[in-house]
């Protein structure tokens, strides 16, 4: 799963959360494309990975 602007916007609306555009762009850069593992292979994040990381980042931003 790739994080898109639309998915991020919907997630933030549902969570009634807000954070700066800079952080939103950082999340899109990180989870909006393939990741590279330790062996140099491209892997795609799962939906659970993406939403769990969003939850953690929002929690850290609020807290």
């Amino acid at each position: 799963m790739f994080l898109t602007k639309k998915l991020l916007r919907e997630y933030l609306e549902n969570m009634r959360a807000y954070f700066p555009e800079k952080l939103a762009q950082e999340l899109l850069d990180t989870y909006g494309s393939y990741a590279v593992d330790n062996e140099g292979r491209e892997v795609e994040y799962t939906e659970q990975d993406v939403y769990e990381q969003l939850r953690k980042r929002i929690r850290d931003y609020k807290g």
Side-chain angles (χ1 to χ4, degrees):
M1 174 186 171
F2 294 121
L3 182 64
T4 63
K5 285 184 180 185
K6 180 182 177 185
L7 286 173
L8 181 57
R9 185 180 66 245
E10 289 173 359
Y11 181 81
L12 293 173
E13 287 173 2
N14 289 337
M15 296 298 294
R16 294 190 172 106
Y18 170 79
F19 47 79
E21 183 63 33
K22 181 179 177 182
L23 181 55
Q25 189 59 49
E26 184 180 317
L27 291 169
L28 289 168
D29 291 344
T30 303
Y31 302 106
S33 60
Y34 288 102
V36 178
D37 67 8
N38 293 339
E39 297 176 7
R41 294 179 292 188
E42 289 185 340
V43 294
E44 186 176 344
Y45 291 107
T46 65
E47 184 175 0
Q48 181 179 356
D49 291 335
V50 171
Y51 286 118
E52 181 66 17
Q53 292 305 315
L54 288 176
R55 184 190 65 76
K56 287 179 183 178
R57 295 295 295 267
I58 290 171
R59 179 195 65 206
D60 292 344
Y61 180 74
K62 287 182 174 182

